[in-house]
Structure formats: C-alpha cells, structure tokens
Amino acid sequence: MAKRFALALLLAAALAIAAAYASAFLPGGAPSWAPWPMALGIPAALVGVMVLGASRDGRVGRLAIPFAFSALVLGGGFAAALALPATEAPGVPLYLGLPLRAAVVLYGIGLFPIVVLPIAYALTFSEQTLNADDIERVRLAGLEWARGRDAGAPPSAAARPSTPEVIPAAPGART
Amino acid sequence: MSQTLSGGVQHPAIIAVAIGYFVVVALISVWATRRTKTAKDFFVAGHGIGLVALTVASVSTSVSGFAFIGGPGLIYTIGLGAMYIVLPASVTNVMGAWVLAKRMRLLGEARGLMTIPDAIGARYRSPAAQGLSGVAILIGILGYMATNALAMGVVIDAIFGVGLGWGIWVGMGVTLAYSVAGGILAGIYVDVFQGTLMAAASVLVFLAVLKVGGGLAGISTSILAHDPSFLSPWGKITPLAALSFFFVFGMGSLGQPQGVHKYYMLKDPLQLRWYPLLKTLGLILVLLLYFGVGVGVKSLVARGALTPLSAPDAATPTFLLRFTPVLLAALVFSGVAAATMSAVNSFINIAAAVVTHDLPIALGRKPRNELAWGRISTAVLAVAAALLAQLSGSMVAFLGIFGWGLFACTLVPALAIGLNWEGATKEGAIASIVTGLGVTLTFETLNYFKAYTFPTGVTVSGLSLVLSILVFFGVSWLTRVRAQAGIDPDVRLVMSV
C-alpha cells in the first residue's frame, strides 16, 4: 500500500515538475503560476522516494509522521516563499538575523528536517530498516544464489566469486 | 582590492601548511598501500570502513573545491538563490540512507558487488544495463576529472607559483601516487584527514565572518540597505531556476556515484543507523563557509569595507587574506587543493572499476586480475584527465558542467527507484539511461555552442532528470509482464527487507 502510494506520488510529482518546465517554453516565457507545480512537486518527489525506500511489508509504520512533517515543511516553506509579499527592504524586522521569507527558507527548509528525519531514521532503524536477522537472511540467499549459478542456473550480470567464501556471521546475528 | 586564486596567494605560512598536507597524504598512502591486497580492497576498501571514517570521508567527497571557492562566489553574485544548491542537504543524506544505503550494502553482502553498475546488472539481470550505466558514469567522470585536474592546477599554481601546467601535473602526480598504490582505502583516509580539517576551518571562518560583519543581523542590515533583492528567498534568479537547483541537487543526489559507491564500504551494515545524522551534521559544518563567506563578503562590499570583487571566485581568497589569521587561510587553501585531489581520487577509482570490471562483464568477458588492471587503468585515466585539462582549453568547463546532471538522470531512475520497485523492468532501466544520456549530451552541446538555449529557469540537468524518470515509469509499465520474472531471489529479498 505504502509503495503504491509512493509510486503514485512520485509519478504525480514528476508530471508536475515536467509541467513547470514545459510552461517555460510557452510564448512569453514561464507564466506566474509556473513555480507552483515545481514547489509542490519537489516535496512530493522527495517524500515519495523516501516512502518508497522506507516501506517494509507495504507499511512505513511510525515513519508516517516524520514523512508528513517533511512534506509539510518543504511544501509549506516553498509555498510561503512564493506567497508572502516581498518585504525585503532597509529596516524590516529580522528573524534570527534574516528577513522573513529568507528565514522561512533557510531555517525551515534548510534546518528543520535535520532535527526530525535522521533521528526518526535512527529510532526506527531496527524495526523499519535493518536488523541482524535481515543481514543473515540476505547472506544465506546470496550463498544459495551462488550455488545455483555454479550448478548451471542462468547467470546474472553481477556475481560473487564462483567458490562462495565462508562469511562470518553479522555482528549481533542470531545463530 | 580583491584577491583571486589565479592572482597567487604565495606566503611562507601557506606554502608550509600545503607541504605539510602533502606529507600527511604521502604517509597515509604508504599505510594504505600495505593494506591493499585484493581488488575488493582497491575498489571498496574490503567492505571494512568504520562508521566515523566513512561519514567524514563521505562529507569530504560531497563537497569539492566548489564549496569553498565557486560556491561563495556564486552567492556573492546571485544572492540566496545559490543556497538552493546546498539546502537539499537537510534531506538528501537520510533520503539516500532509506532509498539506497541498505540495499547497496546488502547487495554487497549477498554477492560481493563492488560497483554501481554491478548493482544495476544484478537488479535487472542485464549486462546491457550494467554496461550502459558504466558508460554513462565514465562520460560524467571524464568531465569531472578534467575540471578537477584544472582546479588542482590553479590552486597549486596559486600556492607555489609553479605555473598552471606544472600545477596540473604536480597535483595529478600526487593524486595518482596514492590512488594507484592505496586505491580507495588511501582515498578514504586522506578524505578523513582533509574533511576533519575542513570542518574545523569552515567553522572558524564562519565565526570570523560573524565577527567582522557584526553578526548575521549586522550582515543582513548592510545588504538590505544596498541590495534588498540579494536577500529575497530566490536571490537574483527566478523562483523556477532556484527550485530547479533544489530538484537537481536534491533528487539528483541519489545518482552521484562518489556518494552511492561508499555504501558498499561500511564494515557493519547495522552502523547505518547513525550514518545520516552524522553525515548531515558534518555537511552543515563544512557548508558554513559556503554561506558565511558569500553573504559576509557581500555585506563588506555593501558597507564599503571592501571594493567590489574583480571576479566572484575572489570572495573566499579576499576574505581569508584580509580578515583571518594567515594560518587559517593556509588551512583553507591547502584544503581546497586536497578537496580537488580527493574528488579526483574518488572518481578515478570509480572509473577504473568501470573499465576493468563493468565493461568486460557487459561485453560477456570475465574480469581477470582486477587489482593489477585497476592500478593500470587508474594511471591511464589520470594521465588522460590531466592531458584533457591541459590541452582542451575552454572545453574543460563544458565537460564539467554536465557531470552532476548526467549522473542524476542516468542513475536515479534505474538505480534508486529500480532497487525499491519490483515493477521496474530492464527495458525501463535501459530506456531511462539512454534518455538521460541523449538529452543531456544533445542539449548541453547545443547550449555550449549557443545553437540552442533553454528558456530562463529550465536547466538541461533538471529537464533530463524528470524526462528520464517519466520514461522509466512509462517503459516499465509497457513491459510490465516481464517485471517479476527478471529478479533473482536474493535480489528480491534485498529489495523487500
């Protein structure tokens, strides 16, 4: 389910970005709406590909929250930069040293996701990304594949050496 | 008065620090050479690099000399619009970890894979896809290596005053020595050394910028009084152009071989847990100089403390020589030389793997004696890049332009999406790689010769990336009946965990 959603999001994002680029070829150049599909397509593409990579058994579990947060921060940040009036001028109030729209982009888009995404990745790593059992299963599958190939099954393009090495167990793997 | 690198920065302290840098690089090379005994050691450091070393090396490879010289100059010229090149760093490292790190590392675990085309070949059971992706990587690397060789020549000439030609050959000679002898292992530990110093130097330079400029608020106030559009969220470029940067450098990061290749090298796959956090923090530190010097110099020019720069690339040298202790300036200049060398080392290693490993497989031959041939290819590629840098004049700039974009449009669909979607087919992968290669080479060439230029806001790299993704989806859908049968069981497992 999560993968289908991610693929649909990615495809829609690619179409939106393509539309933004295509609009620039119109007579008179890019229309005023041109940045909008790009501004919404980019967060959709990035979040879509993250969901695609993170989904396991068709689910992203607790990661749904940080992914939604990222979409909101990136999309909201770009939208705010596009929609807020241009007030950059001498004497305007500064937010952490920057005019409002620049602060939204630099701190919102540039820093907010750092606080959330890598930490969410680390906290959900064992359940959602990788654990010692996974590594062991993959090793065994690799050895099985190599045996099959040596026994005459059709080879694939990339291969481990024909005599499988004795591979030590992964640190922490169940034996 | 502004100071460009091409104008020379010779100073006894700067020369001494640069020589010190080279001595450390030589010592690391000797150490790494003793540990390089197999092709796996040479190309993927024997899958044996620890978390911290890999993280620092990866940060170091991610930021070339552009982050210290060209980048601040670009901010000085176009304002905050140039930040869209580095802003995606807040997302790209963790995105790469979710999308590629685990799958690449597990493919290394299952099959002992060494190269990116290896992964594409294994995913689609297709020597053609493996070979084509190898060709795309080689073309992109050719340009990158030539531009980095030229940059190395410029920096070494600036420090030692030996002339551009000698600068190129001295830099390439040093890089070649450690690349041939110690392979990627030498490269990784040189990167660790260089990355650590650069992070420290970047923080110190940023603090110096804040002190000279009166804090970020002082810097902004000065700029707003003279050039308010500089601090608009898009700087002096259009929103479409700025967002296009974000798209290409965000999504495109998933196709950069110098970063993706490193996933194979991690000793314990479970250490990936903290990799994105550490790498993102490291990158932020290193990129402080990019932002700080760019806006800092603009503010100094705005308030009359500096005359307008003679060239944008003068931003960093001018600030360092005028406003920081000479030792810090020396550290940054030597770091720029080391950064270009580390980029060349990384690219040479990847290109040598394509030549000695991927192309023979694509042509149906079994690679033999890969360590020896890897060393020979490394030497040949390095000499070719140096010659290209020296002889091709302005064509070098052209070659360097499309590297990032070419990697992005040829590898993101086939590798990053394909390793996570069982519905992708080898026909889709091949079509997307061909589309990326064709669109990029055709339109970058037309653009270079001014025969055809895209409208404002449209970049060749952005358009080719989005087209290759759409072609990948479209052709995979048309050939979907073959999708499930084209995946080996072990690869399917890697894609499902």
Side-chain angles (χ1 to χ4, degrees):
Chain A
M1 187 64 191
K3 279 208 172 181
R4 279 192 178 190
F5 168 76
L7 288 165
L9 197 59
L10 199 49
L11 181 60
L15 289 169
I17 293 166
Y21 280 137
S23 73
F25 290 89
L26 293 171
S32 58
W33 55 261
W36 281 96
M38 186 76 110
L40 300 176
I42 291 170
L46 299 185
V47 172
V49 81
M50 280 193 280
V51 171
L52 190 65
S55 74
R56 193 176 170 125
D57 301 325
R59 298 175 62 247
V60 291
R62 290 187 292 158
L63 286 172
I65 296 168
F67 287 149
F69 168 84
S70 304
L72 209 64
V73 165
L74 295 177
F78 289 141
L82 283 170
L84 287 171
T87 55
E88 295 82 21
V92 293
L94 299 178
Y95 301 85
L96 295 174
L98 291 169
L100 178 61
R101 294 195 304 163
V104 166
V105 169
L106 290 195
Y107 298 129
I109 294 170
L111 292 180
F112 260 13
I114 298 172
V115 182
V116 174
L117 287 176
I119 292 172
Y121 177 84
L123 292 179
T124 60
F125 188 81
S126 299
E127 72 190 69
Q128 196 66 35
T129 302
L130 193 62
N131 55 51
D133 281 346
D134 296 332
I135 298 171
E136 203 53 30
R137 282 193 297 141
V138 166
R139 279 179 171 168
L140 291 174
L143 287 172
E144 192 63 31
W145 174 85
R147 278 193 208 104
R149 188 206 48 186
D150 290 347
S156 121
R160 65 157 54 251
S162 53
T163 308
E165 298 167 36
V166 177
I167 303 173
R174 286 180 206 159
T175 54
Chain B
M1 190 178 137
S2 66
Q3 174 74 58
T4 61
L5 270 181
S6 56
V9 291
Q10 290 103 343
H11 182 287
I14 293 174
I15 292 172
V17 170
I19 290 172
Y21 244 99
F22 291 155
V23 169
V24 173
V25 167
L27 291 174
I28 292 171
S29 308
V30 171
W31 172 82
T33 304
R34 290 181 179 163
R35 289 171 169 253
T36 300
K37 295 184 169 60
T38 67
K40 200 178 278 183
D41 294 335
F42 191 80
F43 291 123
V44 287
H47 299 299
I49 301 294
L51 174 66
V52 174
L54 190 79
T55 305
V56 179
S58 189
V59 168
S60 186
T61 311
S62 301
V63 289
S64 62
F66 173 79
F68 303 111
I69 302 293
L74 191 62
I75 292 190
Y76 174 81
T77 308
I78 66 171
L80 292 188
M83 285 302 289
Y84 287 79
I85 292 173
V86 297
L87 278 178
S90 65
V91 179
T92 51
N93 300 305
V94 71
M95 183 171 78
W98 265 312
V99 176
L100 281 173
K102 172 178 72 174
R103 316 233 185 265
M104 298 288 289
R105 186 60 189 83
L106 288 181
L107 281 174
E109 204 71 30
R111 294 201 180 183
L113 303 187
M114 296 195 299
T115 69
I116 291 165
D118 257 349
I120 290 178
R123 162 63 183 86
Y124 300 101
R125 297 177 69 183
S126 168
Q130 179 165 1
L132 259 178
S133 60
V135 168
I137 288 173
L138 261 187
I139 293 173
I141 282 181
L142 183 74
Y144 257 136
M145 275 177 43
T147 43
N148 274 288
L150 185 64
M152 232 163 23
V154 169
V155 178
I156 289 173
D157 176 37
I159 295 172
F160 295 104
V162 293
L164 179 62
W166 276 108
I168 290 172
W169 287 101
V170 167
M172 192 54 90
V174 173
T175 312
L176 188 57
Y178 77 81
S179 301
V180 168
I184 200 67
L185 192 62
I188 290 276
Y189 283 99
V190 167
D191 285 353
V192 169
F193 165 67
Q194 177 232 330
T196 307
L197 289 182
M198 286 315 298
S202 175
V203 172
L204 292 174
V205 171
F206 185 68
L207 292 175
V209 167
L210 292 181
K211 187 178 171 195
V212 171
L216 193 50
I219 289 170
S220 291
T221 304
S222 304
I223 295 173
L224 286 170
H226 291 85
D227 190 359
S229 66
F230 183 94
L231 288 181
S232 88
W234 319 109
K236 293 175 177 295
I237 58 177
T238 64
L240 196 61
L243 290 166
S244 191
F245 274 154
F246 197 98
F247 173 58
V248 170
F249 287 90
M251 198 73 177
S253 69
L254 293 171
Q256 302 307 307
Q258 71 277 26
V260 175
H261 181 229
K262 287 201 165 50
Y263 296 137
Y264 280 134
M265 299 175 195
L266 191 62
K267 190 175 188 176
D268 175 4
L270 295 178
Q271 287 185 320
L272 280 170
R273 175 191 289 259
W274 297 107
Y275 178 76
L277 181 63
L278 292 178
K279 187 177 173 190
T280 306
L281 293 176
L283 260 181
I284 298 294
L285 292 184
V286 173
L287 291 173
L288 284 175
L289 188 150
Y290 179 104
F291 170 71
V293 170
V295 295
V297 168
K298 178 72 181 179
S299 129
L300 289 167
V301 170
R303 73 164 85 141
L306 275 178
T307 53
L309 301 181
S310 57
D313 284 356
T316 302
T318 301
F319 182 81
L320 291 174
L321 293 174
R322 290 282 300 274
F323 298 100
T324 68
V326 70
L327 200 62
L328 182 55
L331 208 59
V332 176
F333 290 134
S334 303
V336 172
T340 54
M341 286 182 194
S342 96
V344 170
N345 163 272
S346 198
F347 284 122
I348 284 183
N349 191 271
I350 293 167
V354 170
V355 171
T356 60
H357 181 84
D358 297 308
L359 293 184
I361 287 175
L363 296 171
R365 296 180 183 174
K366 192 175 180 185
R368 292 181 194 282
N369 201 359
E370 289 180 72
L371 178 58
W373 281 111
R375 285 183 160 141
I376 292 168
S377 314
T378 299
V380 171
L381 286 163
V383 171
L387 277 174
L388 193 62
Q390 197 167 24
L391 301 178
S392 61
S394 63
M395 185 62 88
V396 163
F398 165 62
L399 292 172
I401 288 170
F402 60 75
W404 181 283
L406 188 70
F407 292 145
C409 63
T410 52
L411 297 180
V412 168
L415 184 73
I417 302 175
L419 273 182
N420 291 282
W421 177 38
E422 291 83 353
T425 63
K426 76 175 175 194
E427 291 81 2
I430 290 170
S432 74
I433 295 170
V434 170
T435 301
L437 266 172
V439 172
T440 304
L441 293 179
T442 303
F443 286 101
E444 289 289 14
T445 305
L446 290 174
N447 189 39
Y448 179 75
F449 290 108
K450 303 199 187 315
Y452 179 74
T453 307
F454 281 154
T456 308
V458 182
T459 57
V460 177
S461 47
L463 190 66
S464 58
L465 176 55
V466 79
L467 284 178
S468 68
I469 290 172
L470 290 172
V471 166
F472 179 69
F473 276 126
V475 175
S476 290
W477 185 78
L478 289 173
T479 54
R480 61 190 179 281
V481 287
R482 275 168 271 183
Q484 295 297 326
I487 309 176
D488 285 327
D490 58 331
V491 175
R492 190 185 300 279
L493 179 63
V494 166
M495 293 172 69
S496 68
V497 295

